[in-house]
């Protein structure tokens, strides 16, 4: 209602931050660093940049605003471009990895914290910027934490540089202390009380419980939208499907008295046109039910929510030292996060939050605050970046909360295995080249090996395909059909080569969209891969690395793949079951792998990553020759019969078998 009747300018003036605009700007003028604290929805992300611009800061540089999430950077930039009546990418733009929507006129730039971090590689003093807002600092993402240390140096070197750190109520004092007791500015809240309802008993299936609760609210409670917090895409899709079904059943039944319900999913991989829907006001008489990941905790503000349903869980990236890798895992969220979630119900009027866990669980099982990402994830990228910024000893870097030493050492070990660090821990020539690519170290290494083994053209495609969400489309109601379509692309010994095959065929079909639809491929994903490919190609050109090709001799590509995934090499244990060569951890072949239908399972393989579902499944697998592992890392692999390649033997056997079969026919 509000959005429809009030002009954009009037909406801006209605935000809580507007009432303190002048005092806030005064504090910023008088201090180089300010911490700004305010409730979600008070206007920090959309207004601060514009205020600094209106106060003249954009006359001598850009105003940058970092976000831990890509979705937030894109969505907010779009909103602010509307508020400033300009095209997105003109005065207001955004940059995320592999996507730069800014131009020569850009004065307000939203970006992921990772993008700004990489920019400090090119320009340590960030001369292009007059001010940076580190938004959502309370999230303590890995890149934000590193930026804290780097921006502290920029502030010390550039007197004309302004830094604003924003936080949703948490941690403000800690941030202030880090920069030497800088002022903390509070935006007065305009929040209503939220009644908290706990489950009486622990719930077994929170997706199911959330759906039931939403239906009860919809059938029995007064007007107001619903926001459900689940952990990821799968759960969200399941819940949306179940809600749709329930609503259809109601409609079909004669007793139907329910108002319509608009069911709106939101998660990071959702296409942006669908994401935009959560901000639109539902039609008169329609209740909105937004089903979200923790993206809606503080990053995106949805107005009009009166009811929150909180599963109490979230997906977090954690480094598992035993496995030697990161994985996304479902964990209970923190008390602070639970409070942010319930707060979403009190923005427009008094609300209710249904926690699908007991009060005892809240008090005893949830941590008070989230664990900073820097303390729980792989630091490979960070180590590489800091080393190239000449931070020799990482333990000396000014971290707000230093990562555990074990974690640093483990990441350094992996970089050494990849050849990015030399024996004394300094950046090697190879490592120096790797830093140039906005890729995880293994993928950067794969590119360099592609060059060395003269198959860069092909490896470049594989790396690009690995940098976008899966291109295979698998609608639940057409699973068999889509699986059959996928199998047609299989290159039996490698999922990586299968990706290459998909791309090559798409290219051979003039990059057509209808061709993708016919083959159950996501055209958006493929287009994105093509774009990523061209950007990586630019970096290769700038580094004067020529584009070599191995033509149709694809075996050599597997060698390049092998070199990148040393740490993810695994040995056959039983049919479809492997163990990691280094750690002995079990890992399993997934039914969707091209290797699954090979008819035998190769002795040695490497994999892109592990996904934990019911088991540890390997994602994207390639069969490798044992002697490659022995050649490239004799210190890690003791391989018994490295002279005879079993894969080779088996392939011959297979060929003979087929020949015999053909003769018999
Ligand atoms: P904060 O950063 O303090 O949480 P924001 O600046 O993100 O607050 O949001 C301020 C207001 O702008 C909110 O009421 C929010 O609903 C609105 N808003 C933000 N992004 C969009 C968008 N993409 N479309 C419509 N409204 C938006
Ligand atoms: Mg915000």
């Amino acid at each position: 209602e509000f959005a429809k009747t009030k002009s954009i300018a009037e909406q801006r003036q209605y935000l809580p931050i507007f009432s303190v605009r002048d005092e806030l700007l005064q504090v910023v003028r008088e201090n180089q660093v300010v911490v700004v604290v305010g409730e979600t929805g008070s206007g920090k992300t959309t207004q601060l940049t514009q205020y600094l611009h209106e106060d003249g800061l954009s006359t001598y540089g850009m105003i940058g605003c970092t976000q831990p999430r890509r979705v937030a950077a894109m969505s907010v930039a779009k909103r602010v471009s509307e508020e400033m009546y300009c095209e997105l990418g003109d005065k207001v733009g955004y940059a995320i990895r592999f996507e730069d929507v800014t131009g020569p006129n850009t004065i307000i730039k939203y970006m992921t914290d990772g993008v700004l971090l990489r920019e400090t590689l090119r320009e340590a003093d960030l001369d292009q910027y007059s001010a940076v807002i580190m938004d959502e600092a309370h999230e303590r993402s890995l890149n934000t934490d590193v930026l804290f240390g780097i921006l502290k140096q920029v502030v010390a070197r550039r007197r004309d540089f302004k830094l604003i750190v924003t936080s949703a109520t948490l941690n403000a004092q800690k941030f202030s202390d880090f920069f030497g007791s800088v002022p903390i500015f509070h935006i007065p809240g305009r929040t209503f009380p939220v009644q908290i309802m706990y489950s009486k008993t622990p719930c077994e299936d929170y997706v199911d419980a959330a759906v039931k609760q939403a239906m009860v609210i919809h059938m029995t409670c007064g007007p107001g939208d619903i926001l459900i917090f689940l952990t990821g895409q799968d759960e969200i899709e399941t819940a949306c499907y179940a809600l749709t079904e329930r609503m259809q059943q109601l409609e079909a039944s004669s007793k139907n008295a329910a108002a319509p319900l608009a069911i709106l999913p939101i998660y990071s991989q959702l296409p942006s046109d669908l994401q935009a829907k959560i901000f639109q006001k539902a039609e008169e008489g329609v209740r909105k039910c937004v089903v979200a990941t923790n993206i809606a905790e503080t990053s995106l503000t949805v107005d009009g929510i009166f009811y929150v349903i909180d599963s109490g869980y979230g997906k977090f990236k954690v480094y598992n030292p035993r496995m030697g890798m990161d994985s996304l895992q479902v964990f209970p969220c923190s008390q602070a996060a639970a409070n942010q979630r319930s707060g979403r119900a009190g923005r427009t009027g008094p609300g209710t939050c249904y926690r699908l866990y007991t009060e005892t669980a809240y008090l005893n099982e949830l941590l008070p605050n989230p664990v900073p990402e820097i303390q729980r994830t792989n630091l490979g990228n960070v180590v590489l970046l800091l080393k190239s910024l000449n931070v020799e000893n990482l333990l000396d870097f000014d971290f707000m909360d230093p990562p555990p030493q074990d974690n640093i050492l483990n990441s350094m070990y992996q970089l050494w295995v990849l050849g990015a660090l030399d024996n004394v821990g300094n950046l090697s020539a190879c490592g120096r080249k790797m830093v140039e690519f906005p890729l995880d170290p293994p993928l950067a290494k794969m590119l360099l090996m592609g060059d060395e083994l003269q198959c860069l053209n092909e490896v470049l495609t594989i790396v690009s395909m690995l940098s976008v969400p899966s291109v295979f489309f698998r609608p639940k109601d057409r699973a068999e059909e889509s699986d059959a379509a996928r199998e047609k692309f299989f290159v039996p010994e490698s999922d990586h080569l299968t990706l290459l095959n998909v791309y090559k065929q798409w290219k051979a079909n003039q990059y057509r969209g209808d061709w993708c639809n016919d083959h159950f491929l996501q055209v958006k994903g493929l287009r994105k891969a093509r774009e990523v490919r061209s950007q990586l190609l630019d970096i290769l050109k700038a580094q004067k690395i020529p584009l070599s090709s191995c033509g149709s001799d694809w075996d050599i590509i597997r060698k390049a793949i092998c070199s990148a995934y040393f740490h993810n090499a695994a040995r056959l244990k039983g049919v479809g079951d492997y163990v990691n060569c280094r750690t002995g951890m079990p890992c399993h072949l997934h039914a969707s792998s091209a290797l699954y239908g090979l008819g035998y399972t190769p002795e040695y393989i490497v994999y892109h990553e592990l996904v934990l579902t019911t088991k540890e499944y390997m994602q994207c697998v390639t069969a490798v020759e044992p002697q490659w592992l022995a050649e490239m890392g004799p210190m890690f692999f003791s391989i018994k019969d490295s002279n005879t390649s079993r894969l080779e033997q088996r392939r011959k056997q297979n060929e003979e078998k087929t020949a015999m079969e053909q003769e018999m026919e």
Side-chain angles (χ1 to χ4, degrees):
E1 193 66 14
F2 187 71
K4 275 180 203 151
T5 53
K6 297 278 191 293
S7 73
I8 279 193
E10 281 169 327
Q11 285 180 41
R12 285 189 64 194
Q13 295 181 4
Y14 185 76
L15 292 169
I17 199 173
F18 183 74
S19 64
V20 290
R21 179 183 181 279
D22 297 341
E23 293 112 276
L24 176 58
L25 284 174
Q26 192 59 33
V27 176
V28 173
R29 277 180 222 124
E30 286 165 5
N31 295 276
Q32 229 189 320
V33 185
V34 180
V35 177
V36 174
V37 177
E39 293 284 340
T40 301
S42 53
K44 301 181 297 296
T45 309
T46 52
Q47 305 306 305
L48 275 172
T49 49
Q50 298 185 71
Y51 290 178
L52 295 186
H53 158 58
E54 289 155 11
D55 209 39
L57 272 168
S58 51
T59 49
Y60 66 96
M62 279 192 289
I63 294 154
C65 180
T66 65
Q67 297 290 323
R69 298 161 195 275
R70 303 153 59 101
V71 186
M74 299 192 303
S75 148
V76 168
K78 184 165 176 294
R79 170 71 183 179
V80 174
S81 69
E82 283 160 13
E83 290 187 7
M84 288 182 56
Y85 304 102
C86 71
E87 293 275 311
L88 184 59
D90 188 44
K91 274 192 295 187
V92 183
Y94 71 87
I96 59 179
R97 192 174 70 135
F98 296 126
E99 194 170 324
D100 187 348
V101 186
T102 62
N105 294 332
T106 301
I107 45 176
I108 293 180
K109 177 170 171 182
Y110 287 91
M111 68 203 117
T112 51
D113 42 18
V115 164
L116 189 66
L117 195 53
R118 290 202 70 82
E119 287 186 10
T120 62
L121 275 178
R122 304 259 167 290
E123 219 170 50
D125 279 344
L126 292 174
D127 282 329
Q128 283 190 56
Y129 296 90
S130 56
V132 164
I133 298 161
M134 279 173 77
D135 204 3
E136 301 276 317
H138 61 270
E139 278 224 5
R140 302 293 306 275
S141 75
L142 177 61
N143 291 329
T144 294
D145 262 18
V146 179
L147 272 177
F148 266 122
I150 290 178
L151 291 182
K152 193 172 170 182
Q153 296 170 3
V154 176
V155 167
R157 286 192 298 252
R158 278 185 55 194
R159 300 308 298 171
D160 62 334
F161 180 77
K162 296 281 184 192
L163 178 66
I164 295 180
V165 178
T166 84
S167 173
T169 53
L170 294 147
N171 290 337
Q173 193 57 49
K174 188 166 187 162
F175 298 153
S176 161
D177 292 345
F178 180 74
F179 289 100
S181 301
V182 301
I184 302 175
F185 190 95
H186 288 270
I187 301 167
R190 189 194 295 146
T191 50
F192 297 87
V194 175
Q195 194 185 3
I196 310 276
M197 314 287 271
Y198 287 99
S199 283
K200 293 211 173 55
T201 52
C203 93
E204 296 222 327
D205 178 344
Y206 57 72
V207 178
D208 184 54
V211 168
K212 284 189 180 134
Q213 187 62 58
M215 288 309 293
V216 169
I217 294 169
H218 185 50
M219 300 304 291
T220 62
C221 299
D225 297 336
I226 305 172
L227 172 59
I228 305 179
F229 284 102
L230 297 174
T231 75
Q233 179 174 353
D234 275 359
E235 285 178 9
I236 290 173
E237 280 174 356
T238 306
C240 288
Y241 186 78
L243 283 167
T244 312
E245 249 187 357
R246 297 273 184 117
M247 288 304 293
Q248 281 168 353
Q249 284 164 6
L250 271 182
E251 266 164 43
S253 80
S254 52
K255 295 190 293 283
N256 174 28
L261 187 68
I263 301 157
L264 305 170
I266 174 95
Y267 48 85
S268 58
Q269 297 291 353
L270 191 74
S272 49
D273 46 328
L274 296 179
Q275 282 178 9
K277 274 194 175 173
I278 66 161
F279 294 112
Q280 288 159 15
K281 180 94 181 75
E283 279 169 42
E284 193 60 40
V286 178
R287 192 199 297 272
K288 262 190 346 192
C289 179
V290 178
V291 192
T293 59
N294 49 13
I295 213 168
E297 224 167 82
T298 59
S299 283
L300 298 181
T301 319
V302 193
D303 296 322
I305 302 292
F306 278 74
Y307 308 97
V308 164
I309 301 172
D310 175 15
S311 65
Y313 286 91
K315 244 184 209 164
F316 302 91
K317 206 159 136 199
V318 286
Y319 182 65
N320 186 329
R322 217 156 65 92
M323 286 196 270
M325 55 163 288
D326 284 344
S327 58
L328 271 176
Q329 290 182 45
V330 173
F331 283 104
C333 65
S334 64
Q335 289 176 355
N339 295 340
Q340 284 294 341
R341 291 178 179 191
S342 57
R344 303 284 63 72
R347 291 284 312 155
T348 327
T352 313
C353 173
Y354 299 86
R355 292 187 172 157
L356 304 175
Y357 41 95
T358 62
E359 188 164 15
T360 319
Y362 173 81
L363 293 171
N364 302 322
E365 287 163 31
L366 304 192
L367 293 172
N369 285 303
V371 180
E373 194 178 359
I374 199 160
Q375 303 204 321
R376 55 181 161 85
T377 58
N378 185 320
L379 301 172
N381 254 328
V382 170
V383 173
L384 211 54
L385 199 113
L386 289 180
K387 288 268 173 189
S388 69
L389 289 171
N390 296 321
V391 178
E392 268 168 30
N393 188 350
L394 267 88
L395 299 170
D396 293 343
F397 185 73
D398 197 354
F399 286 115
M400 190 164 346
D401 290 299
Q405 197 169 344
D406 263 13
N407 212 346
I408 296 188
L409 292 178
N410 229 314
S411 307
M412 287 183 72
Y413 173 78
Q414 255 184 41
L415 289 173
W416 176 69
V417 171
L418 285 172
L421 297 181
D422 63 20
N423 289 344
V424 290
N426 289 330
L427 211 56
S428 67
C430 169
R432 217 166 287 282
K433 283 188 194 165
M434 280 164 65
V435 185
E436 294 298 321
F437 300 94
L439 296 167
D440 278 340
L443 292 186
K445 175 68 188 277
M446 201 191 293
L447 281 183
L448 297 180
M449 279 309 277
D451 173 45
E452 199 168 313
L453 298 171
Q454 297 294 296
C455 53
L456 183 54
N457 193 21
E458 290 75 20
V459 169
L460 179 60
T461 300
I462 294 172
V463 169
S464 308
M465 291 287 272
L466 288 170
S467 302
V468 300
S470 169
V471 297
F472 295 105
F473 179 50
R474 194 172 187 273
K476 282 200 173 89
D477 51 341
R478 295 174 73 186
E480 266 177 41
E481 233 178 309
S482 51
D483 285 346
R486 178 187 180 122
E487 276 167 33
K488 292 215 180 86
F489 293 104
F490 278 177
V491 178
E493 61 271 18
S494 169
D495 293 323
H496 293 84
L497 291 179
T498 298
L499 290 177
L500 173 61
N501 190 25
V502 168
Y503 190 91
K504 285 191 84 121
Q505 292 204 34
W506 181 49
K507 185 180 172 188
N509 285 279
Q510 295 81 42
Y511 303 113
R512 275 185 5 240
D514 59 333
W515 181 85
C516 293
N517 294 339
D518 293 348
H519 293 83
F520 287 88
L521 296 168
Q522 314 255 23
V523 62
K524 268 195 178 165
L526 276 161
R527 286 194 184 133
K528 185 76 212 170
R530 191 181 175 193
E531 213 181 292
V532 169
R533 195 179 188 283
S534 98
Q535 289 189 30
L536 289 174
L537 192 58
D538 287 343
I539 301 175
L540 287 164
K541 273 187 197 148
Q543 289 208 66
K544 305 208 165 42
I545 300 177
L547 199 58
S548 50
S549 167
C550 60
S552 51
D553 175 17
W554 283 10
D555 275 2
I556 195 73
I557 304 172
R558 283 193 294 125
K559 196 167 178 180
I561 293 168
C562 179
S563 74
Y565 293 122
F566 250 161
H567 50 294
N568 288 352
R571 191 177 61 238
L572 186 66
K573 185 106 183 295
V575 179
D577 292 335
Y578 285 81
V579 287
N580 186 298
C581 291
R582 242 176 358 100
T583 61
M585 285 287 291
C587 39
H588 307 274
L589 201 60
H590 195 266
S592 63
S593 169
L595 276 73
Y596 203 81
L598 200 54
Y600 66 90
T601 22
E603 197 75 21
Y604 287 94
I605 49 138
V606 293
Y607 57 88
H608 180 61
E609 59 188 7
L610 272 193
V611 196
L612 287 176
T613 51
T614 45
K615 292 199 268 192
E616 300 89 346
Y617 280 113
M618 299 179 283
Q619 209 157 52
C620 217
V621 178
T622 285
V624 298
E625 310 290 322
Q627 67 266 31
W628 295 343
L629 293 172
E631 259 171 47
M632 289 185 274
M635 58 286 220
F636 310 112
F637 303 102
S638 58
I639 286 154
K640 284 177 207 112
D641 53 353
S642 59
N643 304 341
T644 47
S645 148
R646 296 202 184 167
L647 184 63
E648 206 53 45
Q649 265 180 6
R650 288 211 166 107
R651 184 181 295 148
K652 278 209 191 90
Q653 283 169 6
N654 262 0
E655 275 166 14
E656 280 163 22
K657 220 170 84 191
T658 347
M660 257 167 60
E661 278 166 7
Q662 277 170 356
E663 251 173 59
M664 280 168 73
E665 274 174 21

